[in-house]
Amino acid sequence: MVGNTSQTIVVAGGSLAGHTVVAELDRHGFTGDVVWVRGPEGTAPYSRPALSKELIRGRVTDEAIRLPAPREYGLRLRIMDLAVCARLDPDADRVLVTPAAEAGRETGGEWIPFDALFVCTGMRARLPKGFAGLPGVHCLRTLADAGRIRERLAGRPRAVVVGAGLVGSEMAASLRSCGLPVELVDQGRLPMEPVFGAELGRFSLERHHAHGVTTRMPATVTGLSAAGPEGPVSLTFDDGQETTAGLVILGLGAVTACDWLDGGGLDLSDGLACDAALRTARPNVLAAGDVANWRNPVFGERMRVEHWSNASAQARHAVGSWLAGQEGREPPAFADVPYFWSDQYGLKYQMVGHARGHDEVRVEEAGGEGYPFVTYLKDGRIVAAAGVNAPRAVMRMKARIQSEGTTTQGVHA
Ligand SMILES: Cc1cc2nc3c(=O)[nH]c(=O)nc-3n(C[C@H](O)[C@H](O)[C@H](O)COP(=O)(O)OP(=O)(O)OC[C@H]3O[C@@H](n4cnc5c(N)ncnc54)[C@H](O)[C@@H]3O)c2cc1C
């Protein structure tokens, strides 16, 4: 049993990181009150990665991608759906919670005092002004976004996917497998090149072409307009060319959802800045998941990681950090090698590590299918690795980067 019955913990965010914090508090037998503010989506937590994969292809239902409901919570838990944390009082440990529909208004809502606040508010899709609200134009961050896109698939309209990052590339592959004619557009030369580099970017481009996806790269969309509720959507590009589509998907990345902490005395320059143990400048405010910017001792650098397994691992760690503080112990650093995967055309891309700033790339083969396996080095040390259908080789590299990084950098907060 931890905590005491008069303590209150507020958990902001109703996706993987928030869900894991609540489950972890329950696992530790926290005896106080937990207020879980789940945000504007109005749904129980679900697997976001499935949105651009199995769900869009109709392989699974909305219900099948729900995160496993934790066993009946032993916690004194209050769940606030369709509600958002709207402000942190800089002079007191309390947070203003308002109905999501009233977010941004200065009045109303409920101030909730807390002994600890876990910020797990993640990210929202980047949507340039002028591109929002057009019929037939969608981004993909939420279950509701996926539902709106699926409603458009029946007539197999021509689809243009703008942005060939991870989500855009997955969407091109998934829409193609639903039988839609697909064009993939990006400002860069190759899909996913900023993530994986040129070798796997070229490999990905070939896979798109082999499956009948046309590409327009490099190209920048300069204008979008819709003829009416049923489309078509017209797109214009920086070279003056135009095209039309029945469905446009914007895969333009995401922005951190921590603007509500503005004025709360915390560093929000790239997500929410934390120390190595995931505590912010206010030690009873901690962060986990896509929103958390922390110093990762494995690489000796600050970073933010926008991937699934990081969110749950950080959430568990953040709870441990808070508990350590309660017991007067110094918490360990969150020393972790980031990992993500992406499924496209039946292939599994996987990457471990942190490739930013690498100065050397080595390409070999792994996994027995002749696909490229890439290692990224910095100052002669392997800092990241990526492969296709090569899970064992990728995971071996994860262990190696972890042990070498931990030895080189140390793991103290
Ligand atoms: C389409 C798609 C596919 C993906 N595929 C992969 C993949 O294949 N592999 C991989 O590793 N990662 C993938 N990811 C990334 C992965 O889903 C994220 O890393 C993960 O969801 C992060 O979890 P989180 O809890 O930190 O944040 P989020 O999932 O962003 O959740 C944040 C939650 O906070 C809520 N919220 C926002 N503001 C407030 C507020 N003010 N108050 C209260 N609540 C608030 C939001 O509504 C949301 O529910 C994918 C993401 C998307 C969108």
Short mmCIF file of all heavy atoms in Angstrom, two decimals, residues 13-17 37-41 48-49 51-53 83-85 120-123 140-141 167 170 257 260 288-290 306-308 311 340-341, ligand 1:
data_model
loop_
_atom_site.label_atom_id
_atom_site.label_comp_id
_atom_site.label_asym_id
_atom_site.label_seq_id
_atom_site.Cartn_x
_atom_site.Cartn_y
_atom_site.Cartn_z
N GLY A 13 -5.02 13.02 -19.43
CA GLY A 13 -4.78 12.31 -20.69
C GLY A 13 -5.33 10.90 -20.64
O GLY A 13 -5.00 10.14 -19.74
N GLY A 14 -6.17 10.57 -21.63
CA GLY A 14 -6.88 9.29 -21.59
C GLY A 14 -6.41 8.29 -22.61
O GLY A 14 -7.19 7.48 -23.09
N SER A 15 -5.10 8.33 -22.95
CA SER A 15 -4.61 7.33 -23.91
C SER A 15 -3.60 6.43 -23.19
O SER A 15 -3.70 6.22 -21.99
CB SER A 15 -4.02 8.05 -25.11
OG SER A 15 -3.60 7.14 -26.11
N LEU A 16 -2.62 5.91 -23.93
CA LEU A 16 -1.76 4.87 -23.34
C LEU A 16 -1.01 5.34 -22.09
O LEU A 16 -0.97 4.62 -21.08
CB LEU A 16 -0.76 4.37 -24.39
CG LEU A 16 0.16 3.26 -23.87
CD1 LEU A 16 -0.63 2.02 -23.48
CD2 LEU A 16 1.19 2.90 -24.93
N ALA A 17 -0.41 6.54 -22.14
CA ALA A 17 0.38 6.96 -20.98
C ALA A 17 -0.52 7.15 -19.76
O ALA A 17 -0.20 6.66 -18.66
CB ALA A 17 1.16 8.24 -21.31
N VAL A 37 -8.56 12.64 -15.89
CA VAL A 37 -9.20 13.55 -16.84
C VAL A 37 -8.83 13.06 -18.24
O VAL A 37 -7.68 13.21 -18.68
CB VAL A 37 -8.72 15.00 -16.62
CG1 VAL A 37 -9.50 15.96 -17.51
CG2 VAL A 37 -8.85 15.39 -15.15
N ARG A 38 -9.81 12.46 -18.94
CA ARG A 38 -9.43 11.69 -20.13
C ARG A 38 -9.43 12.48 -21.43
O ARG A 38 -9.08 11.95 -22.48
CB ARG A 38 -10.33 10.45 -20.26
CG ARG A 38 -10.11 9.49 -19.11
CD ARG A 38 -10.28 8.04 -19.46
NE ARG A 38 -11.63 7.65 -19.80
CZ ARG A 38 -12.05 6.39 -19.72
NH1 ARG A 38 -11.23 5.44 -19.30
NH2 ARG A 38 -13.29 6.09 -20.04
N GLY A 39 -9.88 13.75 -21.38
CA GLY A 39 -9.72 14.56 -22.59
C GLY A 39 -10.95 14.63 -23.46
O GLY A 39 -12.03 14.15 -23.09
N PRO A 40 -10.79 15.23 -24.65
CA PRO A 40 -11.95 15.56 -25.48
C PRO A 40 -12.52 14.42 -26.30
O PRO A 40 -13.57 14.56 -26.91
CB PRO A 40 -11.37 16.64 -26.43
CG PRO A 40 -9.91 16.35 -26.52
CD PRO A 40 -9.52 15.75 -25.19
N GLU A 41 -11.83 13.26 -26.33
CA GLU A 41 -12.27 12.23 -27.28
C GLU A 41 -13.55 11.52 -26.87
O GLU A 41 -14.30 11.04 -27.73
CB GLU A 41 -11.16 11.20 -27.49
CG GLU A 41 -9.95 11.76 -28.22
CD GLU A 41 -8.99 10.67 -28.66
OE1 GLU A 41 -9.42 9.72 -29.32
OE2 GLU A 41 -7.80 10.75 -28.30
N ARG A 48 -3.86 3.41 -30.59
CA ARG A 48 -3.80 4.38 -31.69
C ARG A 48 -3.08 3.79 -32.92
O ARG A 48 -3.48 4.05 -34.06
CB ARG A 48 -3.09 5.64 -31.20
CG ARG A 48 -3.78 6.91 -31.56
CD ARG A 48 -3.10 8.13 -30.96
NE ARG A 48 -3.59 8.52 -29.66
CZ ARG A 48 -4.78 9.06 -29.42
NH1 ARG A 48 -5.61 9.27 -30.41
NH2 ARG A 48 -5.14 9.39 -28.20
N PRO A 49 -1.99 3.00 -32.72
CA PRO A 49 -1.32 2.46 -33.91
C PRO A 49 -2.24 1.67 -34.84
O PRO A 49 -2.03 1.62 -36.05
CB PRO A 49 -0.24 1.55 -33.31
CG PRO A 49 0.11 2.21 -32.02
CD PRO A 49 -1.22 2.72 -31.49
N LEU A 51 -5.09 2.42 -35.82
CA LEU A 51 -5.96 3.28 -36.64
C LEU A 51 -5.53 3.25 -38.10
O LEU A 51 -6.37 3.15 -39.00
CB LEU A 51 -5.92 4.73 -36.14
CG LEU A 51 -6.42 5.01 -34.72
CD1 LEU A 51 -6.35 6.49 -34.42
CD2 LEU A 51 -7.82 4.47 -34.50
N SER A 52 -4.23 3.41 -38.34
CA SER A 52 -3.75 3.50 -39.73
C SER A 52 -3.47 2.13 -40.34
O SER A 52 -3.06 2.05 -41.49
CB SER A 52 -2.47 4.35 -39.76
OG SER A 52 -1.56 3.91 -38.77
N LYS A 53 -3.71 1.08 -39.55
CA LYS A 53 -3.37 -0.27 -40.02
C LYS A 53 -4.66 -1.10 -40.11
O LYS A 53 -5.47 -0.91 -41.01
CB LYS A 53 -2.35 -0.91 -39.08
CG LYS A 53 -1.09 -0.05 -38.87
CD LYS A 53 -0.15 -0.67 -37.86
CE LYS A 53 1.08 0.18 -37.59
NZ LYS A 53 0.82 1.43 -36.84
N ALA A 83 -13.74 15.92 -20.80
CA ALA A 83 -13.28 17.00 -19.92
C ALA A 83 -11.78 17.16 -20.15
O ALA A 83 -11.08 16.18 -20.45
CB ALA A 83 -13.54 16.65 -18.46
N VAL A 84 -11.30 18.38 -20.03
CA VAL A 84 -9.87 18.64 -20.25
C VAL A 84 -9.27 19.40 -19.07
O VAL A 84 -9.96 20.20 -18.42
CB VAL A 84 -9.62 19.46 -21.54
CG1 VAL A 84 -9.97 18.65 -22.77
CG2 VAL A 84 -10.34 20.80 -21.53
N CYS A 85 -7.99 19.17 -18.83
CA CYS A 85 -7.25 20.03 -17.93
C CYS A 85 -7.00 21.32 -18.71
O CYS A 85 -6.45 21.30 -19.81
CB CYS A 85 -5.93 19.38 -17.54
SG CYS A 85 -6.18 17.95 -16.49
N CYS A 120 -0.06 13.56 -19.29
CA CYS A 120 0.01 12.52 -20.33
C CYS A 120 -0.88 12.94 -21.50
O CYS A 120 -1.66 12.14 -22.03
CB CYS A 120 -0.49 11.18 -19.79
SG CYS A 120 0.30 10.65 -18.27
N THR A 121 -0.78 14.22 -21.88
CA THR A 121 -1.75 14.76 -22.86
C THR A 121 -1.27 14.62 -24.31
O THR A 121 -1.97 15.08 -25.22
CB THR A 121 -2.11 16.22 -22.53
OG1 THR A 121 -0.92 16.95 -22.22
CG2 THR A 121 -3.03 16.28 -21.32
N GLY A 122 -0.10 14.01 -24.52
CA GLY A 122 0.27 13.57 -25.86
C GLY A 122 0.32 14.66 -26.91
O GLY A 122 0.85 15.76 -26.69
N MET A 123 -0.25 14.35 -28.05
CA MET A 123 -0.15 15.24 -29.21
C MET A 123 -1.49 15.30 -29.95
O MET A 123 -2.34 14.43 -29.78
CB MET A 123 0.92 14.74 -30.17
CG MET A 123 2.26 14.50 -29.50
SD MET A 123 3.58 14.18 -30.65
CE MET A 123 3.99 15.83 -31.16
N LEU A 140 -5.41 12.05 -39.31
CA LEU A 140 -5.69 10.81 -38.58
C LEU A 140 -4.93 10.81 -37.27
O LEU A 140 -3.72 10.59 -37.23
CB LEU A 140 -5.28 9.59 -39.42
CG LEU A 140 -5.48 8.23 -38.74
CD1 LEU A 140 -6.94 8.00 -38.39
CD2 LEU A 140 -4.96 7.11 -39.62
N ARG A 141 -5.64 11.09 -36.20
CA ARG A 141 -5.04 10.99 -34.86
C ARG A 141 -5.95 10.19 -33.94
O ARG A 141 -5.50 9.54 -33.02
CB ARG A 141 -4.78 12.39 -34.29
CG ARG A 141 -4.11 12.44 -32.93
CD ARG A 141 -2.60 12.25 -33.01
NE ARG A 141 -2.04 11.84 -31.73
CZ ARG A 141 -0.78 11.48 -31.52
NH1 ARG A 141 0.07 11.48 -32.52
NH2 ARG A 141 -0.37 11.10 -30.34
N VAL A 167 2.84 7.80 -40.56
CA VAL A 167 1.38 7.65 -40.68
C VAL A 167 0.94 7.78 -42.14
O VAL A 167 0.12 7.00 -42.63
CB VAL A 167 0.66 8.68 -39.78
CG1 VAL A 167 -0.83 8.70 -40.05
CG2 VAL A 167 0.92 8.35 -38.30
N GLU A 170 1.86 4.60 -44.02
CA GLU A 170 0.95 3.50 -43.64
C GLU A 170 -0.43 3.70 -44.27
O GLU A 170 -1.06 2.76 -44.73
CB GLU A 170 0.79 3.45 -42.12
CG GLU A 170 1.97 2.84 -41.43
CD GLU A 170 1.73 2.61 -39.95
OE1 GLU A 170 0.68 3.04 -39.43
OE2 GLU A 170 2.61 2.01 -39.32
N ALA A 257 0.36 18.53 -27.07
CA ALA A 257 -0.85 19.11 -26.47
C ALA A 257 -0.57 19.51 -25.03
O ALA A 257 -1.08 18.91 -24.08
CB ALA A 257 -2.00 18.09 -26.54
N TRP A 260 -2.09 24.01 -22.56
CA TRP A 260 -2.91 24.30 -21.38
C TRP A 260 -2.05 24.56 -20.14
O TRP A 260 -2.55 25.13 -19.17
CB TRP A 260 -3.90 23.15 -21.12
CG TRP A 260 -3.27 21.82 -20.82
CD1 TRP A 260 -2.83 20.89 -21.72
CD2 TRP A 260 -3.00 21.26 -19.53
NE1 TRP A 260 -2.29 19.80 -21.07
CE2 TRP A 260 -2.39 20.01 -19.74
CE3 TRP A 260 -3.21 21.70 -18.22
CZ2 TRP A 260 -2.00 19.18 -18.69
CZ3 TRP A 260 -2.83 20.87 -17.17
CH2 TRP A 260 -2.23 19.63 -17.41
N ALA A 288 4.70 11.85 -18.99
CA ALA A 288 5.00 10.58 -19.66
C ALA A 288 4.37 10.58 -21.04
O ALA A 288 3.34 11.21 -21.27
CB ALA A 288 4.46 9.41 -18.84
N GLY A 289 5.02 9.88 -21.97
CA GLY A 289 4.47 9.71 -23.31
C GLY A 289 4.95 10.76 -24.29
O GLY A 289 5.98 11.42 -24.08
N ASP A 290 4.19 10.93 -25.37
CA ASP A 290 4.61 11.81 -26.48
C ASP A 290 4.94 13.22 -26.02
O ASP A 290 5.72 13.93 -26.65
CB ASP A 290 3.48 11.91 -27.52
CG ASP A 290 3.35 10.67 -28.39
OD1 ASP A 290 3.98 9.65 -28.07
OD2 ASP A 290 2.60 10.73 -29.38
N GLU A 306 7.86 9.91 -29.89
CA GLU A 306 6.43 9.85 -30.24
C GLU A 306 6.05 8.43 -30.63
O GLU A 306 5.54 8.20 -31.73
CB GLU A 306 6.14 10.82 -31.39
CG GLU A 306 6.48 12.26 -31.06
CD GLU A 306 6.35 13.19 -32.27
OE1 GLU A 306 5.70 12.81 -33.25
OE2 GLU A 306 6.91 14.29 -32.22
N HIS A 307 6.36 7.48 -29.76
CA HIS A 307 6.08 6.08 -30.09
C HIS A 307 5.43 5.36 -28.93
O HIS A 307 5.63 5.69 -27.77
CB HIS A 307 7.35 5.36 -30.53
CG HIS A 307 8.01 5.99 -31.72
ND1 HIS A 307 7.31 6.24 -32.88
CD2 HIS A 307 9.26 6.45 -31.92
CE1 HIS A 307 8.12 6.82 -33.76
NE2 HIS A 307 9.30 6.96 -33.20
N TRP A 308 4.70 4.32 -29.30
CA TRP A 308 3.79 3.60 -28.42
C TRP A 308 4.48 3.02 -27.18
O TRP A 308 4.08 3.28 -26.04
CB TRP A 308 3.13 2.49 -29.25
CG TRP A 308 2.04 1.75 -28.58
CD1 TRP A 308 2.06 0.45 -28.18
CD2 TRP A 308 0.74 2.26 -28.26
NE1 TRP A 308 0.85 0.12 -27.63
CE2 TRP A 308 0.02 1.20 -27.68
CE3 TRP A 308 0.10 3.49 -28.42
CZ2 TRP A 308 -1.28 1.34 -27.23
CZ3 TRP A 308 -1.20 3.63 -27.98
CH2 TRP A 308 -1.87 2.56 -27.39
N ALA A 311 5.48 5.35 -24.39
CA ALA A 311 4.43 5.95 -23.54
C ALA A 311 4.15 5.07 -22.32
O ALA A 311 4.02 5.57 -21.20
CB ALA A 311 3.16 6.18 -24.36
N PHE A 340 10.18 1.62 -32.23
CA PHE A 340 8.86 1.66 -32.88
C PHE A 340 8.84 0.72 -34.06
O PHE A 340 9.87 0.24 -34.53
CB PHE A 340 8.48 3.08 -33.32
CG PHE A 340 9.27 3.58 -34.51
CD1 PHE A 340 8.86 3.31 -35.80
CD2 PHE A 340 10.42 4.31 -34.31
CE1 PHE A 340 9.59 3.76 -36.90
CE2 PHE A 340 11.17 4.76 -35.40
CZ PHE A 340 10.75 4.49 -36.69
N TRP A 341 7.63 0.49 -34.53
CA TRP A 341 7.43 -0.36 -35.71
C TRP A 341 6.43 0.33 -36.64
O TRP A 341 5.71 1.25 -36.22
CB TRP A 341 6.88 -1.72 -35.31
CG TRP A 341 5.41 -1.67 -34.98
CD1 TRP A 341 4.37 -2.00 -35.80
CD2 TRP A 341 4.82 -1.19 -33.76
NE1 TRP A 341 3.17 -1.78 -35.15
CE2 TRP A 341 3.41 -1.28 -33.92
CE3 TRP A 341 5.32 -0.70 -32.57
CZ2 TRP A 341 2.53 -0.89 -32.92
CZ3 TRP A 341 4.44 -0.30 -31.57
CH2 TRP A 341 3.07 -0.41 -31.74
C1 LIG B 1 -2.37 6.84 -36.75
C2 LIG B 1 -1.26 6.56 -35.79
C3 LIG B 1 -0.49 5.41 -35.92
C4 LIG B 1 0.55 5.16 -35.04
N1 LIG B 1 1.29 4.03 -35.22
C5 LIG B 1 2.32 3.77 -34.39
C6 LIG B 1 3.12 2.60 -34.57
O1 LIG B 1 2.89 1.81 -35.48
N2 LIG B 1 4.13 2.37 -33.71
C7 LIG B 1 4.41 3.24 -32.68
O2 LIG B 1 5.37 2.98 -31.93
N3 LIG B 1 3.67 4.36 -32.47
C8 LIG B 1 2.64 4.64 -33.31
N4 LIG B 1 1.89 5.78 -33.12
C9 LIG B 1 2.23 6.69 -32.01
C10 LIG B 1 1.54 6.27 -30.71
O3 LIG B 1 0.18 6.08 -30.93
C11 LIG B 1 1.77 7.35 -29.65
O4 LIG B 1 3.14 7.37 -29.35
C12 LIG B 1 0.97 7.09 -28.37
O5 LIG B 1 -0.41 7.16 -28.64
C13 LIG B 1 1.33 8.12 -27.32
O6 LIG B 1 0.50 7.96 -26.19
P1 LIG B 1 0.23 9.15 -25.17
O7 LIG B 1 -0.69 8.60 -24.15
O8 LIG B 1 1.53 9.75 -24.78
O9 LIG B 1 -0.47 10.31 -26.03
P2 LIG B 1 -1.75 10.34 -26.95
O10 LIG B 1 -2.01 8.99 -27.54
O11 LIG B 1 -1.58 11.50 -27.87
O12 LIG B 1 -2.95 10.64 -25.95
C14 LIG B 1 -3.10 11.85 -25.29
C15 LIG B 1 -4.49 11.87 -24.69
O13 LIG B 1 -4.64 13.07 -23.94
C16 LIG B 1 -5.88 13.67 -24.23
N5 LIG B 1 -5.75 15.10 -23.98
C17 LIG B 1 -5.23 16.06 -24.78
N6 LIG B 1 -5.27 17.26 -24.18
C18 LIG B 1 -5.82 17.06 -22.96
C19 LIG B 1 -6.10 17.91 -21.83
N7 LIG B 1 -5.82 19.23 -21.86
N8 LIG B 1 -6.67 17.37 -20.73
C20 LIG B 1 -6.92 16.03 -20.68
N9 LIG B 1 -6.68 15.19 -21.71
C21 LIG B 1 -6.13 15.69 -22.82
C22 LIG B 1 -6.09 13.32 -25.70
O14 LIG B 1 -7.45 13.42 -26.06
C23 LIG B 1 -5.59 11.89 -25.73
O15 LIG B 1 -6.57 10.98 -25.36
C24 LIG B 1 0.83 6.06 -33.99
C25 LIG B 1 0.06 7.24 -33.85
C26 LIG B 1 -0.97 7.49 -34.74
C27 LIG B 1 -1.80 8.75 -34.58
#
